[in-house]
Amino acid sequence: MRDFKGYIFDLDDTLYCEHDYVKSGFWVVANELANYRLDIDVSEIHQMLIAEWKRNGRGRVFDEVCRRLGIDIDISHLVHIYRGHVPNISLYDDAKKLIFYLKEKGKKLGIITDGNSTMQWAKVKALNLEKMFDYIIVTGDLGEEHWKPSETPYRKMIKYLHLDFNDCVYIGDNPNKDFITARKLGMGTVRIVRDVGDHMQTRLSREYEADYLIYSLTELIT
């Protein structure tokens, strides 16, 4: 792969493991639910949340676990706690190595990440990314119509970095939205496939997939 002046990353499951974020949020919610069921250990409630998530996805985890525990609580309160918690997460080792390498080489670094603003910025702060990257865009700040694959965050990033599209590469994990616009605009694209993640088994048509497929970010260190 050729050298680029700007390296722009996705966040979830690219730089850190999003499942760790989910488990971290569930732990805070489990502590809240334990106040209503003093006869059950927090760790047991935490495991119930994780088991329900693994079984049926995230959509109604809190509803189902509260029903089974016999807890009558406003679910939106639990969602608020989950979204507002200080996450216990860390960068993947290969992400640390690549970021350090790119900064040593004087490359410009950016992040474009979709999602709720409160959640995504909490992740950014927990990972201490603001000190490492030149510019970070949480598309939740721009409005849902500007989430990837919208061109808006890519154009905003390029303008801020003072680079051309063909000077930059976008690195992400989700072919549903990470690469199609980046490629149309002339950016290089790289897909990271990890052992854990919601999109690791997804395979789409050529226009949605990245130019390069890698299994560790250290493959980009040359």
Side-chain angles (χ1 to χ4, degrees), residues 5 31 42 45 50 66 70 83 87 96-97 99 107 109 133 146 158 161 178 195 202:
K5 295 179 180 176
N31 273 273
V42 173
I45 298 175
I50 292 173
C66 285
R83 289 180 172 175
K96 291 179 191 173
K97 290 176 183 175
I99 293 167
K107 305 298 184 182
L109 303 182
F133 285 79
H146 298 298
I158 294 301
L161 295 180
D178 278 343
D195 294 334
T202 303

Side-chain angles (χ1 to χ4, degrees), residues 105-163:
K105 299 278 280 185
K107 305 298 184 182
K108 291 187 176 179
L109 303 182
I111 292 174
I112 298 174
T113 177
D114 282 345
N116 175 276
S117 292
T118 299
M119 293 169 61
Q120 297 309 101
W121 280 114
K123 296 170 187 176
V124 166
K125 293 182 186 306
L127 296 169
N128 204 24
L129 296 176
E130 288 170 293
K131 293 182 179 178
M132 304 179 199
F133 285 79
D134 296 290
Y135 196 45
I136 296 172
I137 296 175
V138 174
T139 58
D141 295 340
L142 307 175
E144 203 161 326
E145 68 274 22
H146 298 298
W147 289 25
K148 293 177 288 184
S150 164
E151 291 185 5
T152 303
Y154 298 93
R155 292 189 178 280
K156 190 176 176 70
M157 177 63 72
I158 294 301
K159 183 177 181 181
Y160 184 87
L161 295 180
H162 300 291
L163 295 174

Side-chain angles (χ1 to χ4, degrees), residues 5-68:
K5 295 179 180 176
Y7 288 74
I8 302 163
F9 294 82
D10 170 55
L11 178 58
D12 300 318
D13 287 334
T14 297
L15 296 179
Y16 84 100
C17 180
E18 191 183 12
H19 284 194
D20 289 346
Y21 176 84
V22 176
K23 292 174 183 175
S24 171
F26 282 177
W27 180 253
V28 178
V29 171
N31 273 273
E32 176 68 8
L33 295 178
N35 293 325
Y36 295 81
R37 285 293 303 266
L38 300 178
D39 57 319
I40 302 179
D41 189 75
V42 173
S43 60
E44 185 176 342
I45 298 175
H46 189 230
Q47 286 304 312
M48 289 177 68
L49 292 166
I50 292 173
E52 176 59 25
W53 164 44
K54 298 286 187 185
R55 193 161 44 240
N56 294 313
R58 301 180 206 181
R60 293 184 58 80
V61 170
F62 301 155
D63 303 79
E64 179 59 22
V65 170
C66 285
R67 185 190 67 77
R68 289 164 54 194

Side-chain angles (χ1 to χ4, degrees), residues 183 187-191 206 209-213:
R183 291 183 70 206
M187 299 171 67
T189 52
V190 175
R191 179 179 178 184
R206 180 71 187 90
E209 291 287 351
D211 301 323
Y212 299 95
L213 185 70

Side-chain angles (χ1 to χ4, degrees), residues 199-210:
H199 309 291
M200 299 310 153
Q201 304 304 318
T202 303
R203 297 291 183 272
L204 299 180
S205 62
R206 180 71 187 90
E207 66 178 322
Y208 284 91
E209 291 287 351

